[in-house]
Each structure stands twice: as C-alpha cells, then as structure tokens.
Amino acid sequence: MAVAPDTAGIRGVTGIKDATAIAGIGQTPFARQLPENERTLACRAILAALDDAGIAPAEVDALASYTMEETDEVEVAKALGLGDLTFFSKVGYGGGGSCATVAHLAAAIATGQATVGVAWRSRKRGSGPRPWKNTSVQLPTPAQWTRPFGLLRPSDEIAMLTRRHMHEYGTTRDHLFNVALACRNRANQNPAAIMYDRPLTREMYMTSRWISEPLCLFDNCLETDGALACVVVSAERARDCRRTPVYIHSAAQGLPAQHHGMVNYWNDDPLTGPAWTAARHLWKHADFTPDDVQVAQLYDAFTALIPLSLEGYGFCGRGEGGAFTEGGALESGGRLPINTGGGGLSEAYVHGFNLITEGVRQLRGTSTAQVPGAATCLVTAGEGVPTSALLLRS
Amino acid sequence: MLTPVVDEDGAPFWGYAAQGELRVQTCADCAEPRFPPRPCCPHCQSFASEWRAVSGRGRVWSYVVPHPPLLPDYAELAPYNVIVVELADAPRIRLVGNLVTGPDAPINSLPPERIRIGARVQVVFSSAGLPQWILERP
Ligand SMILES: [Zn+2]
C-alpha cells in the first residue's frame, strides 16, 4: 500500500497525487465564547500554523478559504505581512468547502501557480447569532419551497433525510447514538475539546430533548468560537520543514447531477448525496481503497451524516451505514475510528476544519486518541451540500 | 409566519396555488415535469415550459417534527410536523408541506403519531394560498 511519494510526476498523469503536503497546522482555543473577533482569531491560527511549519509569513503566496468566512484574503494578507499573493480561492457552500481549500492549494502548488499556501477557518458561531434566524438572507437553498412550512434549520432539513433512511434501511436511534458516543469518547481524551470533561451515556442521549424528530440534542453539533489554519507546500519543500510531512494523496469535490443543497429531496435518489460523487473521483486517483483507510475524520454537523458518508465513501454498502456503527466499529480499536479529536459533535464545530488538523495529527502520530501506526486518513467536508474530501497519507 | 419570497421562476406556482390549483412546471417539448421551477429543461435543454395541473394526490415520503429553538411564530406552534409529499402523478416531484386536519388548520393540528411514511394524502389550500395536505383516510 505505501508507495514512495512521486513528485516527478506532478505534470504527468498522476495529477496532484502526493505532489504536495500539509507542513503546518495551528489553532486557537475553542470555547462557547472567545473575547477576540474573527479577524484576530484567524491571524492567531495562521501564525501558529506557519510557526509549526517553520515558514515565514512573507513566503506565503496563496490563500484559500470557504464561504461563511468573515475574514477575507485582503485583511489576512495585510495584517500578517504575507508576500504577494498569486493564488486565492474561496469555495462555496459553507461546510462543504473545508477540504476543498486544501485541494485548491494543492492544485495551485502542484501546477506552479504558488509555492506556500494557507487555508483557514475562523468562526464565532458560539457567541454569534444562528445563521438560520436571519430570514432576510436567502440561503443557497430555495427558501420559498421549504421555510414557509416551518422547515427552518439545517437540523430540520437533515432530519427529513434521516427519517427516510430509517424507513428504508432500518437505521435506528441507537446507530446515531453510536456516532455521538464515539465522538464524545474521543473528545474525553482531548484536552482542547469543548466536551473534554463531559462523558455521554446512552440514557443521556435517549432522554435528551428533541431538536427535530428524529434528531435530538446530541445529534447536533456544538456552537463554537475558534479558528484553525494549515499550511500547504510542495512535497519536496515539506521534507525540509520542521514537521513530518502529511501528503495530500487524493482530493475531490462533489456536486452531483440534480443535487439540491441541504434539501436534496428532488432528485431520483435523495439518499445518495455529494459524498458518492466526491468518493468516485477520490478513489479513482488513489493508490489504496476504503479497506486500507486506518482512521477517518467524517464531517459531523449531525450524527446522521455519518451513516450517509460511510455509504458514500464506500466503507459499506448502500443502506448499511447504520449497521456499520455497531460493535464499536467507530471507536478506538474498531474497524474505522472516526473523529479522533471529538469532531464537530464534541470537540468544536468550526465548519469541519478541525477534522483536517486532526487528520494531520493522526499521520504525525500525535493525536490524543492515536491510532497506532496510522498511515492513511480520509477527511471529509459537509455531506448534504456540495462537498469535498481529502485522502491524506504519511 | 414566513411567507414565500417568490422569484420569477416560482411565481406561477404560487399564482395557481392562490387560486386553489396545484400545478407543476413541465417541459413543453419533452413533457418532463421539474421541481423546483427553473428556466431550462435539464432533460432536453428546452426553454419552453407550461404549468400542468396535477391531481393533488400523493404519499408521505418523509416527515420531521421540529421543536424549539425556532423562529417565534413557529416556536408557538411547536411541536408541529413538516412532511415531504411524493406526487402520485409524478413521483420524483416532492413537495415540502404540512399535514393538517383540514383547510386552514394550523400546522400542529394533526398529532405526529398519526403520520406514517407512505400514507396517502390530498392537497387542500390555506386562505393564504399555501398548499396543505390532509390524510386521504383520516
Ligand atoms: Zn424537456
């Protein structure tokens, strides 16, 4: 499975495979409420990531972010003293864009458009307003077809698909609890996680209040303030950096034919969402298969996204995502440990960027819930919206 | 309560609904229905469309029961139901709506325990011109 990174093939048929690497990661603390604003938090996270890589701010010539980001490239570049930028990119669809930021930087660097790229996310969702409460803003969903009827929040929109998945495949609340528990158990090992000292039990889960039946409180991600960043450089450059390089082996975006963001009820097969499309491209360009993935960081704004993602990325068959979670499969030592920092459900909900940095920690061997010898990691962005994913390897 | 923020493509749907009619945008060239409305047929790329009347019968494809925190008007009625209806005449056309006990009944009028996926439903219209759904066999 392990093949020496091939940088000679950058301009050949191998595309971006192993041509670039994540050389640095950084973050601020996570909390329900932080005193500093998004710009300040973004700057702190980016400087921490550059310091981790041992690269000076003046060397940065590429930036990538995703929508619903309050801090733009101009502000970041000016505040931090970055160099002349020759590549900048902002990916659409909020949480679906997290992994695409790294993918865009990898493509830019592999094709010579830039040499040092930074991707970041800064959010004050914990202390700020809920986006769905702003009814004057037209979300990328056609709100006229859903909101008058009281389908108001992302939780309501995903609960609709969840109920259908339960009906078609026998997925249960216990399956969703397995997801919530795996994330919480890992958060209990991670001092940086908001839920570090808050264990979860089945009774707590089953008796918690509903948010949108069939989803309860613990099926929903945290509301968090915090910022994160990572640094992408060529594989060759990464080998001279401070840290063990984490190679970007394969990357994909996914926007399926006839897809509809969040309310994907109107195509032939609403339960095969963007994960399926991203997965086809991801595996086509990879040297390994889902069987070889040792740890995964799966976007978990809601527990129900995990069964959908397990199916979409090929860890099990269609409709088997609920059953896959049984027998401790998602826990440490299980078939596929997931969200080993605690994920959006229990570490911090920062639109999935913490899943990227945790993937890097696993492949460096420095996770607080380290999978022994982990050499391959799948990281995904939001399922249910136009999405993206990364296969990382050491 | 929120009212539809209508765009040019969707306006005919709401216009017919205000007259108590359920109509679906359909390609005038290849006859393929589509939802939500849009300018071009994804099947044959024709820009010619018409609004075809449908029977107003369907089945519950899925449903949810929202609880607070919600916008104030909805929080007052919570828990209520939201359903997705698969139209009998065009199964791939699925409409978001509410299952109620009769025309103009509130969105919490039917106990959630009575909702089943696959249940047959029939369209009715509120005085505000919103399509609503009642059980075919209450
Ligand atoms: Zn047509």
Side-chain angles (χ1 to χ4, degrees):
Chain A
M1 173 192 66
V3 177
D6 170 24
T7 51
I10 289 174
R11 284 164 194 85
V13 291
T14 54
I16 66 160
K17 187 193 291 179
D18 299 324
T20 61
I22 297 175
I25 55 174
Q27 69 190 49
T28 67
F30 304 129
R32 184 66 188 250
Q33 190 163 5
L34 293 173
E36 295 182 320
N37 65 25
E38 283 101 337
R39 281 195 299 280
T40 309
L41 295 172
C43 289
R44 290 194 187 284
I46 292 169
L47 285 181
L50 286 167
D51 182 60
D52 189 51
I55 292 175
E59 288 194 68
V60 175
D61 56 8
L63 289 176
S65 63
Y66 47 126
T67 51
M68 300 176 79
E69 171 61 49
E70 294 292 322
T71 311
D72 71 29
E73 301 91 344
V74 175
E75 292 161 353
V76 165
K78 198 162 51 178
L80 295 178
L82 304 187
D84 293 342
L85 299 186
T86 57
F87 180 91
F88 37 94
S89 157
K90 192 164 200 167
V91 185
Y93 309 103
S98 57
C99 293
T101 60
V102 174
H104 286 203
L105 292 175
I109 291 165
T111 54
Q113 293 185 79
T115 56
V116 177
V118 170
W120 82 97
R121 179 47 129 211
S122 179
R123 286 207 100 192
K124 294 200 74 171
R125 171 74 173 270
S127 54
R130 305 287 192 276
W132 56 265
K133 280 198 174 173
N134 186 351
T135 56
S136 66
V137 172
Q138 287 299 304
L139 298 171
T141 55
Q144 64 182 312
W145 308 112
T146 55
R147 295 188 69 152
F149 305 103
L151 199 73
L152 302 176
R153 306 159 299 181
S155 189
D156 304 315
E157 294 165 336
I158 296 302
M160 196 69 84
L161 294 176
T162 308
R163 175 91 67 184
R164 184 70 194 185
H165 199 273
M166 290 172 153
H167 172 80
E168 280 195 36
Y169 301 121
T171 306
T172 65
R173 291 194 69 212
D174 263 304
H175 292 144
L176 302 183
F177 166 65
N178 290 340
V179 173
L181 183 66
C183 291
R184 185 61 65 89
N185 285 343
R186 299 296 83 73
N188 293 158
Q189 296 171 258
N190 173 12
I194 288 178
M195 292 297 181
Y196 174 54
D197 50 4
R198 307 266 296 272
L200 178 70
T201 66
R202 185 176 181 279
E203 196 199 346
M204 285 164 69
Y205 177 91
M206 290 297 172
T207 58
S208 71
R209 64 187 170 90
W210 293 113
I211 300 297
S212 193
E213 296 177 53
L215 299 182
C216 72
L217 178 66
F218 295 113
D219 292 311
N220 289 261
C221 59
L222 301 169
E223 303 287 357
T224 310
D225 286 7
L228 305 99
C230 72
V231 179
V232 180
V233 295
S234 71
E236 198 177 12
R237 172 81 188 261
R239 287 191 276 271
D240 296 329
C241 288
R242 271 184 195 156
R243 300 285 200 158
T244 312
V246 169
Y247 296 100
I248 299 160
H249 183 70
S250 181
Q253 290 183 266
L255 199 176
Q258 295 296 308
H259 173 71
H260 222 106
M262 293 307 295
V263 286
N264 190 36
Y265 313 145
W266 296 306
N267 64 17
D268 288 358
D269 197 352
L271 294 180
T272 59
W276 275 256
T277 300
R280 277 190 289 275
H281 186 84
L282 201 65
W283 297 122
K284 190 169 123 188
H285 294 276
D287 292 343
F288 50 92
T289 72
D291 284 345
D292 305 310
V293 169
Q294 292 157 316
V295 58
Q297 315 296 337
L298 304 178
Y299 194 92
D300 58 345
F302 308 102
T303 54
L305 298 182
I306 302 303
L308 293 173
S309 298
L310 291 167
E311 296 171 21
Y313 287 99
F315 293 98
C316 59
R318 170 92 195 259
E320 295 170 358
F324 185 96
T325 69
E326 293 170 4
L330 308 179
E331 301 282 344
S332 290
R335 156 66 192 95
L336 186 71
I338 66 159
N339 303 4
T340 43
L345 287 162
S346 280
E347 183 188 28
Y349 184 60
V350 274
H351 263 156
F353 212 95
N354 55 325
L355 301 173
I356 300 172
T357 52
E358 175 60 15
V360 170
R361 283 190 193 97
Q362 279 289 347
L363 300 183
R364 286 176 174 181
T366 60
S367 170
T368 51
Q370 184 62 41
V371 172
T376 56
C377 180
L378 168 69
V379 186
T380 72
E383 171 61 348
V385 290
T387 194
S388 51
L390 296 169
L391 278 177
L392 303 177
R393 49 154 297 192
S394 57
Chain B
M1 306 292 272
L2 297 173
T3 52
V5 178
V6 175
D7 63 4
E8 200 179 322
D9 292 322
F13 179 93
W14 299 110
Y16 288 116
Q19 299 163 34
E21 274 188 80
L22 190 66
R23 290 190 181 229
V24 170
Q25 189 189 30
T26 304
C27 178
D29 280 319
C30 77
E32 193 74 16
R34 61 184 189 255
F35 188 86
R38 75 203 76 159
C40 182
C41 172
H43 193 64
C44 76
Q45 287 73 43
S46 166
F47 285 82
S49 71
E50 58 194 23
W51 285 81
R52 198 165 286 180
V54 292
S55 68
R57 292 171 57 247
R59 285 175 183 271
V60 175
W61 183 81
S62 188
Y63 66 100
V64 299
V65 182
H67 293 248
L70 291 155
L71 296 173
D73 288 349
Y74 292 87
E76 258 174 53
L77 296 168
Y80 57 87
N81 73 74
V82 188
I83 62 173
V84 170
V85 177
E86 196 170 68
L87 294 185
D89 316 28
R92 279 173 296 157
I93 306 293
R94 305 186 187 96
L95 302 177
V96 174
N98 307 107
L99 196 56
V100 296
T101 51
D104 253 343
I107 58 177
N108 62 357
S109 55
L110 191 90
E113 311 82 77
R114 298 198 38 212
I115 306 173
R116 294 281 179 274
I117 288 180
R120 291 173 189 278
V121 296
Q122 171 72 48
V123 76
V124 292
F125 289 88
S126 75
S127 49
L130 281 186
Q132 300 179 298
W133 301 88
I134 56 170
L135 287 168
E136 220 173 72
R137 295 190 205 88

